[in-house]
Amino acid sequence: QVQLVESGGGLVQPGGSLRLSCAASGSIFSILAMGWYRQAPGNERELVALVTSAFRTNYADSVKGRFTISRDNAKNTVYLQMNSLRPEDTAVYYCNARIDGSGSYYYAPYWGQGTQVTVSS
């Protein structure tokens, strides 16, 4: 069984920084894309940033230049460095990864439990 465990959320003032981490554990043969999504109250879940197995990255326009996604394949971990945070970045942030857990080349989507990020003075 595969699990994604997130950490690093919290309360930060506008202009501040946070770093989120998400570690995958369990039966893992390989991981394709890993990413971060967020959902604010009353809004749909949206993609924040994505990094492929080839380390190509993609960002939502609203976070370009402020957030940086990275991954450590040796640790099966993805990170999100968030700088210049704004109140509108407040949301629950979810980690997502497509993982082959059986060597079958079928990559199932897995989600973390979510971590709250609150940007407020």
Side-chain angles (χ1 to χ4, degrees), residues 66-100:
R66 300 188 298 122
F67 291 11
T68 301
I69 190 169
S70 61
R71 64 189 283 174
D72 183 336
N73 288 339
K75 296 180 179 180
N76 291 331
T77 299
V78 62
Y79 306 95
L80 185 68
Q81 178 66 43
M82 305 185 292
N83 298 328
S84 302
L85 282 161
R86 305 168 180 168
E88 53 264 38
D89 294 319
T90 296
V92 178
Y93 284 69
Y94 296 92
C95 172
N96 172 271
R98 290 199 168 267
I99 299 174
D100 174 4

Side-chain angles (χ1 to χ4, degrees), residues 32-115:
L32 286 181
M34 304 183 80
W36 291 93
Y37 291 72
R38 67 186 180 187
Q39 187 167 19
N43 291 356
E44 294 185 353
R45 190 173 296 188
E46 63 175 359
L47 175 68
V48 176
L50 191 73
V51 57
T52 71
S53 55
F55 299 96
R56 293 181 179 177
T57 58
N58 186 37
Y59 296 92
D61 287 343
S62 59
V63 307
K64 283 181 181 177
R66 300 188 298 122
F67 291 11
T68 301
I69 190 169
S70 61
R71 64 189 283 174
D72 183 336
N73 288 339
K75 296 180 179 180
N76 291 331
T77 299
V78 62
Y79 306 95
L80 185 68
Q81 178 66 43
M82 305 185 292
N83 298 328
S84 302
L85 282 161
R86 305 168 180 168
E88 53 264 38
D89 294 319
T90 296
V92 178
Y93 284 69
Y94 296 92
C95 172
N96 172 271
R98 290 199 168 267
I99 299 174
D100 174 4
S102 62
S104 64
Y105 297 101
Y106 170 68
Y107 292 86
Y110 291 89
W111 291 91
Q113 79 282 3
T115 185

